Amino acid sequence: MSVTHALSAPMTRTLSRDDVVMRAGIVLLIAFLTLTIALPLGTLLIKSFENAKGEFIGLDNYIRYFSTPALVGSLWNSLWIAALSTAIVVPLAFAFAYALTRTRMPLKGVFTAIALLPLFAPSLLSAISFIYIFGNQGFLKSWLLGASVYGPIGIVMSQVFYCFPHAMLILITALSLADGRLYEAAEALGTSKWRVFRTVTIPGVKYGLVSAGFVVFTLVITDFGIAKVIGGQFNVLATDAYKQVIGQQNFQMGAVVGFVLLVPAVLAFVVDRRIQRRQVALLSARAVPFEPKPRALTDGLALGYCLLIGGLIIGVLGVAVWASFITYWPYNLSLSFKNYDFANFEPNGWAPYWMSIAMSTIAAVIGTAVVFCGAYLIEKGEGFKTGRTLAHLLAMLPMAVPGLVIGLGYVFFVNAKWNPLNIFYGTLLLLAVNTIAHFYTTAHITAVTALKQIDREFEAVSQSLKVPFYRTFSRVTVPICWPAILDIAVYMFVNAMTTVSSVIFLYGATTKLAAISIVHMDEAGATAAASAMATMILLTAIAVKLVHFAADALVFKRLQAWRRR
């Protein structure tokens, strides 16, 4: 009996107080993610199988959707627009990333900063800018040779501008991982530059190219703002969902369009994940970092290309900012602040801008706390493997779900008759929670990546000394991870300022956001005022990023001194 008791003792040990608290935390995290992500999507799915009375009708809505030529046409429009945009963006971004990582051209930091500027602006800003450039009264209208910018041409141009930095960041990472020994061996064998490029460089970054392609494809097919502003009568899935819900109050068909929109995004995500699993390590312990050698011709061509692309990016942004100061385009080009007097164009005046600041701050503070603490519980927790696995799966779910679909899910979930949370519909808190859910996955991956860099020995030592986990968390984990925490906070804030699709259905009379105000002002023909509001969002996001740089420097000086040893 004593032997049996001894063998069974580890299986029946009493949970410590830390174990109980961490398990309770995992349960709360699962409840939060279920409430904010899984249930809204589940409600959206159920809604697509119901009629206007809430009765189950099976696949009738889907049959009606695929029997309507106009709706099916929007699906094909979305697919080929996304494919064409991807085919343009990826080569452009690859060449730019190659110039930054594989040449010795000057001003790399400046060009990187310029290329990232579109990330700080709402997607609508590029569409507004191209209207001023190529629209009916655009100063370069003749360059389109009689074609109209209001439609697929304008959508593709705007999407290329908007998606370029997303692809570039992925490809910079891919191109930065190179074993210099391969290039040294190729040079010693007298291999031509073109053959080295084909047989060494491209195979080494193929997974990065695939990821960039799927990211761009998903961004384009799920974007609402660009198609709404410059799409004209050219319908795509995102605008169809908006028209069904807002224009026709056909919530069931809106739910169907939402799930049709979800399918390409999920397929792209699944294929990307499967391809990524085949990737092998490109850098071994014996690898030599690749150092590009000075080559006058290559460096000169790279500099010229970056000047061209950087100039186009600044030009597009510059036109939108300039247009926001024009008194009356194109008849009175004198500069004034007339368009910034939003009370003349927006019933709530400047209120949407300040509302965006407030919502973004709430999303950044609450979102960062929830994401980082949740990632800590998942990554550093022991036991309760099922709960931690479920929490991680729920945290990864938003990556494959377009913002517009999440927004639709919230509409049906929060407004359900059985849901007592409907009192929060149209409130600032709901907008913030929706934004956190929309951008949860990227922030979660950032937090998990930072936590993986901390050896579990810290927690083991704390346990052996009977130090409560929360003390280790506050005194060791948080200080070490401060850079990642700041990254998450800024990421949440900037995306909350610029997002349109996920919140377009959720605002109330007193909680309209700046990005939504841009859509409404553009619909009313106040394009210059819309450009002014977009400019305010851009400047705010850039200012926050500059503060982030300053805070990051302070953090590294005071809390991260050990990294410089």
Side-chain angles (χ1 to χ4, degrees):
M1 293 294 293
S2 59
V3 174
T4 303
H5 177 74
L7 290 174
S8 61
M11 301 297 293
T12 59
R13 71 178 181 86
T14 303
L15 294 176
S16 67
R17 184 173 61 179
D18 283 0
D19 290 333
V20 173
V21 172
M22 294 189 78
R23 290 188 179 213
I26 287 291
V27 172
L28 289 175
L29 178 63
I30 292 173
F32 173 81
L33 295 175
T34 301
L35 189 66
T36 59
I37 299 172
L39 286 180
L41 293 177
T43 306
L44 177 64
L45 177 62
I46 293 172
K47 196 73 174 179
S48 69
F49 293 110
E50 295 178 346
N51 59 18
K53 297 180 181 179
E55 300 169 341
F56 179 78
I57 57 173
L59 296 174
D60 287 2
N61 289 329
Y62 288 90
I63 293 172
R64 185 152 52 94
Y65 174 87
F66 286 104
S67 301
T68 306
L71 294 176
V72 176
S74 297
L75 171 59
W76 291 115
N77 288 344
S78 292
L79 291 173
W80 76 260
I81 284 289
L84 178 59
S85 300
T86 302
I88 296 173
V89 169
V90 173
L92 290 176
F94 176 81
F96 200 92
Y98 187 90
L100 294 176
T101 57
R102 299 298 179 89
T103 72
R104 297 290 292 274
M105 73 171 207
L107 304 176
K108 290 183 179 181
V110 173
F111 286 117
T112 302
I114 292 173
L116 294 178
L117 285 176
L119 294 176
F120 302 103
S123 61
L124 305 92
L125 184 140
S126 60
I128 292 172
S129 183
F130 282 118
I131 288 175
Y132 277 106
I133 298 173
F134 299 111
N136 292 334
Q137 296 176 324
F139 56 88
L140 296 181
K141 177 185 176 182
S142 60
W143 285 27
L144 293 183
L145 303 176
S148 174
V149 76
Y150 302 98
I153 294 176
I155 294 175
V156 170
M157 288 193 298
S158 301
Q159 292 290 4
V160 168
F161 175 87
Y162 170 62
C163 296
F164 179 85
H166 295 273
M168 185 203 70
L169 286 172
I170 295 172
L171 293 172
I172 283 179
T173 302
L175 285 164
S176 298
L177 298 175
D179 190 344
R181 295 176 302 172
L182 297 176
Y183 293 88
E184 292 173 0
E187 185 176 2
L189 294 172
T191 309
S192 67
K193 302 298 180 186
W194 173 242
R195 186 173 182 183
V196 172
F197 180 79
R198 286 189 297 107
T199 59
V200 179
T201 303
I202 294 298
V205 300
K206 61 182 179 182
Y207 294 106
L209 288 168
V210 171
S211 288
F214 282 123
V215 166
V216 173
F217 184 88
T218 303
L219 286 172
V220 175
I221 206 168
T222 60
D223 181 73
F224 165 77
I226 288 175
K228 183 69 175 66
V229 170
I230 204 172
Q233 300 302 312
F234 186 82
N235 293 325
V236 294
L237 284 173
T239 53
D240 268 356
Y242 180 78
K243 291 175 182 177
Q244 292 291 334
V245 174
I246 302 299
Q248 302 178 26
Q249 297 291 296
N250 189 343
F251 300 111
Q252 291 72 31
M253 190 56 68
V256 172
V257 176
F259 260 90
V260 172
L261 180 65
L262 180 63
V263 171
V266 171
L267 288 177
F269 173 77
V270 171
V271 173
D272 182 42
R273 292 300 98 187
R274 288 194 173 186
I275 291 177
Q276 289 298 327
R277 289 197 190 113
R278 300 178 184 177
Q279 184 172 4
V280 296
L282 298 178
L283 288 179
S284 66
R286 299 180 181 179
V288 177
F290 175 76
E291 290 291 339
K293 297 178 180 179
R295 292 187 175 89
L297 179 60
T298 303
D299 295 345
L301 290 174
L303 179 60
Y305 177 76
C306 289
L307 283 170
L308 174 63
I309 298 298
L312 290 174
I313 291 173
I314 292 176
V316 171
L317 290 174
V319 166
V321 174
W322 172 58
S324 71
F325 292 101
I326 296 298
T327 301
Y328 187 61
W329 181 275
Y331 307 106
N332 184 356
L333 300 182
S334 60
L335 303 182
S336 72
F337 287 95
K338 173 186 174 183
N339 298 315
Y340 286 84
D341 187 3
F342 295 124
N344 295 327
F345 312 98
E346 161 64 49
N348 297 324
W350 275 83
Y353 172 74
W354 298 115
M355 197 61 61
S356 282
I357 295 289
M359 191 276 282
S360 300
T361 302
I362 294 172
V365 174
I366 297 178
T368 302
V370 171
V371 168
F372 188 77
C373 291
Y376 179 84
L377 292 171
I378 293 172
E379 179 61 27
K380 297 299 183 179
E382 294 184 359
F384 201 22
K385 184 176 180 181
T386 301
R388 290 189 292 117
T389 301
L390 177 59
H392 181 70
L393 290 175
L394 289 171
M396 297 298 291
L397 184 59
M399 180 175 285
V401 182
L404 197 71
V405 175
I406 289 181
L408 280 172
Y410 269 69
V411 170
F412 302 131
F413 172 65
V414 177
N415 286 314
K417 295 179 180 179
W418 51 266
N419 191 350
L421 296 177
N422 53 28
I423 60 173
F424 292 105
Y425 188 78
T427 63
L428 200 62
L429 179 61
L430 181 67
L431 293 171
V433 170
N434 171 266
T435 301
I436 294 169
H438 182 199
F439 299 107
Y440 195 97
T441 301
T442 301
H444 173 74
I445 292 173
T446 301
V448 168
T449 302
L451 289 166
K452 283 183 179 294
Q453 297 175 359
I454 303 176
D455 198 315
R456 285 185 173 271
E457 186 177 348
F458 287 100
E459 285 75 21
V461 171
S462 297
Q463 289 178 2
S464 66
L465 296 176
K466 300 189 181 305
V467 176
F469 82 92
Y470 56 82
R471 187 169 299 173
T472 305
F473 176 78
S474 62
R475 294 188 177 182
V476 178
T477 307
V478 170
I480 291 176
C481 294
W482 256 119
I485 294 173
L486 287 177
D487 287 343
I488 293 170
V490 173
Y491 171 80
M492 283 287 186
F493 185 93
V494 171
N495 281 282
M497 283 293 297
T498 59
T499 188
V500 179
S501 58
S502 68
V503 295
I504 192 67
F505 303 111
L506 302 176
Y507 68 94
T510 59
T511 56
K512 182 189 290 187
L513 303 177
I516 297 172
S517 180
I518 294 173
V519 174
H520 291 170
M521 286 190 286
D522 179 75
E523 286 180 338
T527 308
S531 182
M533 186 68 83
T535 299
M536 290 304 303
I537 293 176
L538 172 66
L539 295 178
T540 303
I542 291 175
V544 168
K545 190 62 180 178
L546 292 176
V547 171
H548 174 217
F549 285 142
D552 212 19
L554 179 63
V555 165
F556 270 101
K557 285 181 180 180
R558 299 187 60 182
L559 297 178
Q560 304 285 307
W562 58 274
R563 292 182 183 268
R564 300 193 297 269
R565 293 178 182 176

